[in-house]
Amino acid sequence: MSRSFRARPAPARRPTLKLPALAAALLLGVLAGSAQAADYPITPGQRSTAQQVAQAGVPLSELAPNAPDSYTVKRGDTLWAISRIFLRSPWRWPELWGMNLQQIRNPHLIYPGQVLYLDKSNGRATLRLARPVEPATEKLSPRVREESLENSAIASVPMHLIGPFLNEAVVFDSNQLNVAPRVVATQEGRVLASRGESVYVRGDMDAARDWQLFRQPKPLIDPATGETLGFEARYVGSAELVRKGEVRSGADGKPEIVPSTVTITQLREEAAVGDRLAPLPPRDYEAFAPHSPATPLAGQIIAVYGDGLNAGQNQIVSLNRGARDGLERGHVLALWHKGGRKIDTTSSDKAVLVLPDERQCLLFVFRVFDRVSYALILQVQDPVTQGDKFTQP
């Protein structure tokens, strides 16, 4: 998805964004009525919340304790971070947007350099946007110009953390990679293949030119039911088809199999004989923004992505809920650490105490399959492990 943005009066031309504004659904000043900006998705619930709040503003009790009177958006900011500056709950961005619908009609575009002012008069909070400095008139001629991306719209969450997983974290409904094309040999009989090297593949390669390489998939087991929810394939890298294989007649008249040749273009770990291939899907640039589930939702952590037993902040976990359970991309969830059992050593009866579950962090859901989802761990306190429970925040 590509978007370009032009204000009134027209500023210096911005480059077309290959990465979209990713629902930096917080504040847009300049040119709220742009037809291009209106194309970004805003759910009816988000718009309804904003319209309700816009009538009177937000109660001061809903503001963050140290909410500043003003804030200048900086390069590297995210919707999540800016929401935390003004509100107690970062995922409640529609309310922040609703503070000033007159200026912020579309919340999906916010740029470094914009100044946000917090008005706390009459016991309610509204957010105002300073008018940008109008640039000097510039006469343009038809020539190539280079321009920094510093003023590109900011993302909703730290995209450098989840970006690689938007296509690499893959769940298959069945163990279909068992019949997928496979690496059968490497150059000069090497054990492992590196980037830029070629490997030889046996199987049907007609489906695509660009491929992903995966190691043997592992089943994702629901901690609650023991049901297999899908198969998580361990991402190895990507490759490009150079030459298709063929079956030809040998010197003795018997058929000979010539495997396809692919070149390794990108790797997370070195490729090996036995790795399986799947067509590389289009890059996932669909916009999303943090929001709370509209209905009660609960589940458990299936596993930590990769080989870890425990996970910390900014790591990825798989969840035993997916699209069929109402989970959506952008959902924010609360993660709970299960309370243990203790013996009351202060009493002669040595009673068994069942400690309550404790809320320990937030999860941001960024990829959703039918029965499984992936989420980024935010604001963690204790290690996250398999079986930990999550709910709506």
Side-chain angles (χ1 to χ4, degrees), residues 29-45:
V30 232
L31 210 200
S34 159
Q36 292 161 316
D39 290 339
Y40 285 92
I42 303 170
T43 69

Side-chain angles (χ1 to χ4, degrees), residues 128-190:
R128 304 188 184 283
L129 186 67
R131 292 185 177 275
V133 178
E134 296 184 1
T137 302
E138 178 185 2
K139 184 176 181 180
L140 301 178
S141 57
R143 61 183 177 82
V144 176
R145 289 178 169 85
E146 293 184 0
E147 192 168 309
S148 170
L149 290 176
E150 287 187 5
N151 293 325
S152 298
I154 66 172
S156 51
V157 293
M159 285 305 298
H160 69 281
L161 298 176
I162 65 174
F165 297 96
L166 291 177
N167 283 101
E168 296 173 9
V170 177
V171 174
F172 296 95
D173 292 333
S174 62
N175 205 355
Q176 62 207 64
L177 285 182
N178 277 342
V179 296
R182 64 191 184 278
V183 177
V184 293
T186 60
Q187 287 181 315
E188 301 177 355
R190 297 171 185 168

Side-chain angles (χ1 to χ4, degrees), residues 277-295:
L277 283 77
L280 179 69
R283 190 66 179 172
D284 187 354
Y285 290 139
E286 181 184 350
F288 60 94
H291 60 289
S292 177
T295 57

Side-chain angles (χ1 to χ4, degrees), residues 24 26 74 76-83 110 154-159:
L26 183 59
K74 300 185 294 294
D77 276 341
T78 62
L79 167 63
W80 184 272
I82 295 178
S83 295
I110 176 173
I154 66 172
S156 51
V157 293
M159 285 305 298

Side-chain angles (χ1 to χ4, degrees), residues 180-182 201 203-214 235 237-242 244 260-266 276-281:
R182 64 191 184 278
V201 176
D204 185 1
M205 300 290 288
D206 290 334
R209 178 182 180 84
D210 296 310
W211 296 78
Q212 289 177 303
L213 288 88
F214 294 99
Y235 180 80
S238 59
E240 180 182 2
L241 176 63
V242 175
K244 287 185 180 181
S260 299
T261 303
V262 301
T263 298
I264 306 296
T265 55
Q266 185 267 334
R276 301 284 174 160
L277 283 77
L280 179 69

